[in-house]
Amino acid sequence: MNLDDYISQEKPISEKTIILPKNLLNFRKFGKTIKPEFIDDDDDDLKKCYDLWKVSEGLKLKEIKDKIAEIEDFSNYKKVRGIVHILSQLSQLTKSEENAKEIRKFIFLQGPALTEDEKERIIKEAEKEFQTKISEDKIWGDINPYKVLLKAPELSIQDISKIYNLSLACGIALLSYRINFKVSENIGDIIRLSKKLGLMYDSTKEGWISVFGPATLIKESTKYSLYFSILVSKIIRKKGFEIEIETEKGILKLSQEHKKFFPEIEEDVKFDSSYEEQVSKIIQDTFTNINLTREPEAIFFREGVFIPDFKLRNDEGKEVLIEIAGFWTEDYIKKKIEKLKKFWESSQRKIIVLASEKLALSFGNIKLPDDVIVFKNELPSLELIKKIKEIIPNTKITKQKNQTQEIQIPDEIKDKIREGMSVTEFQKILQNYKLDLDLNKAAHYLGYKIEWKSIFDGTLKKEK
């Protein structure tokens, strides 16, 4: 048998995603439904492959193949070869001959060897040139069958089973021409990835997004097939995911209940701006009965798609969206304003917009709704909390536990603080001492409160 049947030379798409090639996809069909043959750590074939692989360090892959061939039969060959594909991609391999490419080039340049004598002459010349005994291993030592297993993966058998299952799902996506999905949070980075990959998307039914590639509408495209596989691996990591992978062979449906079959891949929470991070902290530190979801959904309306930065929902089902309108370029500002304007006109949903002062100046003749909070440098947390409480009644505020005792302020600062001092001056004093503190908490600790004249201006007043 050809080793390529066992171990594909296809590279992993990313460090965390391995895609099974099409000839190793192990699934069954029931009508139009595809049922993948997922495995767990109790799978007998997996145990045998895993144990053989662990004791095969130092052997060439073709030698390991000979041992694993004894496990294989007609009913399990795709699964066994798929497991070996995963193990080989996760292992540390090395060439059995570092100069294999140069040796091969030297031999081939000597011309075709039509007789045994000519073959022997060329081999001898190669041995003289490279000062080594030339064998088949030396000539092909840099390709998979002749590579040596230097180190088996330090992963449990359970980890291997879950990586195999994810690779199988991503492999089935190689056959797809359309993916429909929904997730409960962070949909924005999936949409951004779709756009980056050149895929198109639309809304098919409430809460669902349909992703497809222009080439796949006509015929199967290797490029877009790989893109669909990458997208599937991203969606499966999300909370509350549901996905339908449409292929010519049928539809594969996966949801949150299948999460147990896949690896737990924790994604780093990466905010697009410090403002997003601040809003998240304000909400989570302030309210006890509000659930905050980042980039919760794509809202389609006549003029386009809108993905709010956050959705807030209390335990009674009341909700509000939050959009942070930062600024980068004049062109971005114009597009953002136009999109928000059309969203306000077409949507009945409540949205709080946090807009930088510089962006607000560019609104021109557009009348700003009451739910737009304009800020200069720092986010006005009190104003935001007040607005949320207006829109979502019955919010519960977190009880503060002696937080003033946790604030450490040098005594010499106290002598510099006086009643009537501006907030700006107060902030500069704190900054001079490199104190990154909430202004209201710091003022309260020093015996003052901030009396706000506007969202940009305020003064210190002695607390009673």
Side-chain angles (χ1 to χ4, degrees):
M1 294 184 183
N2 191 327
L3 184 64
D4 289 342
D5 293 336
Y6 284 92
I7 303 173
S8 170
Q9 295 184 41
E10 180 186 338
K11 302 289 190 212
I13 297 301
S14 71
E15 290 181 4
K16 293 182 179 178
T17 304
I18 300 172
I19 301 175
L20 284 181
K22 295 176 184 178
N23 63 316
L24 300 184
L25 299 179
N26 192 27
F27 61 85
R28 291 182 292 166
K29 281 183 59 181
F30 297 90
K32 293 184 178 180
T33 302
I34 290 177
K35 293 289 185 182
E37 297 287 342
F38 290 146
I39 61 176
D40 57 30
D41 53 349
D42 287 329
D43 186 90
D44 190 51
D45 293 322
L46 173 61
K47 287 180 178 178
K48 290 176 181 177
C49 290
Y50 182 82
D51 291 341
L52 277 171
W53 198 268
K54 281 288 188 181
V55 297
S56 296
E57 290 180 356
L59 296 179
K60 296 181 181 66
L61 294 187
K62 66 173 185 173
E63 295 170 335
I64 303 174
K65 168 249 180 171
D66 291 336
K67 294 196 296 181
I68 290 178
E70 298 177 11
I71 300 172
E72 184 183 310
D73 59 35
F74 180 76
S75 64
N76 69 0
Y77 75 96
K78 284 188 177 181
K79 176 175 63 175
V80 170
R81 296 177 187 187
I83 292 169
V84 173
H85 175 79
I86 299 300
L87 289 168
S88 67
Q89 295 284 0
L90 295 171
S91 297
Q92 214 175 330
L93 306 176
T94 186
K95 300 174 184 177
S96 59
E97 172 53 58
E98 284 296 325
N99 295 321
K101 188 176 180 180
E102 289 74 17
I103 292 172
R104 205 161 52 242
K105 182 179 178 181
F106 178 86
I107 289 174
F108 289 159
L109 286 175
Q110 304 308 307
L114 302 178
T115 66
E116 284 298 319
D117 289 342
E118 289 177 338
K119 179 181 176 181
E120 188 177 339
R121 176 185 59 78
I122 292 173
I123 292 296
K124 285 183 178 179
E125 288 183 13
E127 289 177 342
K128 183 179 179 181
E129 175 71 20
F130 293 96
Q131 295 296 302
T132 186
K133 180 74 174 174
I134 300 296
S135 63
E136 189 177 3
D137 289 3
K138 296 283 185 180
I139 299 172
W140 305 105
D142 58 338
I143 65 172
N144 266 347
Y146 296 89
K147 284 183 180 177
V148 174
L149 175 59
L150 189 63
K151 191 170 186 180
E154 295 179 355
L155 294 170
S156 69
I157 192 167
Q158 185 180 48
D159 290 333
I160 299 296
S161 69
K162 291 186 174 185
I163 293 171
Y164 171 87
N165 294 335
L166 177 60
S167 302
L168 176 56
C170 292
I172 293 173
L174 288 173
L175 309 174
S176 67
Y177 55 84
R178 181 187 298 268
I179 292 174
N180 308 307
F181 75 92
K182 64 187 298 187
V183 295
S184 63
E185 65 178 10
N186 288 23
I187 195 172
D189 56 351
I190 299 177
I191 296 296
R192 286 191 290 272
L193 177 60
S194 300
K195 292 168 69 174
K196 184 178 179 180
L197 295 174
L199 298 169
M200 299 188 292
Y201 56 89
D202 199 356
S203 177
T204 52
K205 49 188 175 181
E206 187 175 354
W208 285 76
I209 304 296
S210 179
V211 181
F212 48 93
T216 58
L217 298 177
I218 304 170
K219 61 179 181 179
E220 187 179 316
S221 165
T222 302
K223 180 175 74 171
Y224 288 110
S225 295
L226 288 173
Y227 291 168
F228 284 135
S229 296
I230 295 169
L231 205 61
V232 165
S233 72
K234 185 83 170 176
I235 294 169
I236 286 176
R237 300 172 195 174
K238 301 295 182 184
K239 291 182 180 178
F241 80 90
E242 291 183 60
I243 187 168
E244 297 175 351
I245 303 173
E246 297 185 26
T247 76
E248 292 182 0
K249 295 182 181 294
I251 299 175
L252 169 60
K253 294 183 179 182
L254 299 171
S255 63
Q256 189 69 28
E257 67 183 39
H258 295 94
K259 197 85 171 178
K260 62 185 178 182
F261 292 111
F262 304 124
E264 291 291 334
I265 302 175
E266 292 293 332
E267 290 193 297
D268 295 333
V269 178
K270 294 181 181 178
F271 294 95
D272 293 335
S273 68
S274 61
Y275 292 139
E276 285 188 12
E277 192 168 0
Q278 289 175 51
V279 167
S280 176
K281 190 174 189 309
I282 289 168
I283 304 303
Q284 292 175 343
D285 288 351
T286 304
F287 300 104
T288 61
N289 68 329
I290 285 183
N291 181 50
L292 178 143
T293 307
R294 183 166 175 259
E295 295 184 324
E297 57 193 300
I299 302 170
F300 286 81
F301 53 105
R302 187 177 60 187
E303 289 79 7
V305 61
F306 175 65
I307 303 173
D309 291 313
F310 297 100
K311 178 170 77 174
L312 278 56
R313 186 183 181 92
N314 71 357
D315 46 19
E316 296 177 354
K318 300 285 185 182
E319 67 177 39
V320 62
L321 307 175
I322 295 180
E323 171 71 4
I324 303 170
F327 59 92
W328 284 270
T329 65
E330 185 177 348
D331 182 57
Y332 170 84
I333 291 171
K334 290 177 180 177
K335 289 180 180 178
K336 174 66 76 174
I337 294 168
E338 195 62 28
K339 179 173 283 191
L340 288 173
K341 179 186 175 185
K342 289 174 180 176
F343 178 79
W344 288 324
E345 292 171 350
S346 63
S347 175
Q348 300 300 313
R349 302 177 70 172
K350 284 286 186 179
I351 178 170
I352 298 172
V353 178
L354 295 164
S356 71
E357 186 181 33
K358 190 172 286 189
L359 175 58
L361 295 174
S362 303
F363 272 89
N365 297 324
I366 298 174
K367 186 178 182 301
L368 296 179
D370 295 334
D371 295 330
V372 174
I373 299 174
V374 181
F375 65 94
K376 191 171 185 179
N377 295 315
E378 289 191 0
L379 283 171
S381 56
L382 295 178
E383 186 80 7
L384 175 59
I385 293 168
K386 180 182 175 183
K387 187 66 66 177
I388 292 170
K389 291 179 68 176
E390 287 176 4
I391 298 173
I392 306 181
N394 302 323
T395 54
K396 296 177 183 177
I397 304 295
T398 304
K399 291 182 180 179
Q400 306 299 324
K401 295 182 180 179
N402 242 352
Q403 287 186 338
T404 55
Q405 295 180 4
E406 298 173 5
I407 298 177
Q408 301 294 324
I409 299 180
D411 291 338
E412 57 263 33
I413 289 184
K414 298 176 183 178
D415 298 331
K416 298 182 180 182
I417 306 302
R418 64 185 186 281
E419 189 170 17
M421 174 181 284
S422 71
V423 171
T424 302
E425 191 176 355
F426 178 50
Q427 185 180 29
K428 284 182 179 178
I429 291 173
L430 295 178
Q431 288 174 344
N432 287 339
Y433 283 85
K434 296 182 179 179
L435 296 174
D436 184 17
L437 299 174
D438 178 88
L439 292 177
N440 290 287
K441 290 180 183 177
H444 175 69
Y445 178 76
L446 293 165
Y448 295 88
K449 66 178 181 180
I450 298 176
E451 201 169 67
W452 293 98
K453 298 177 182 177
S454 70
I455 61 173
F456 303 131
D457 188 22
T459 56
L460 297 185
K461 187 175 181 180
K462 275 281 188 183
E463 285 188 330
K464 293 181 182 180

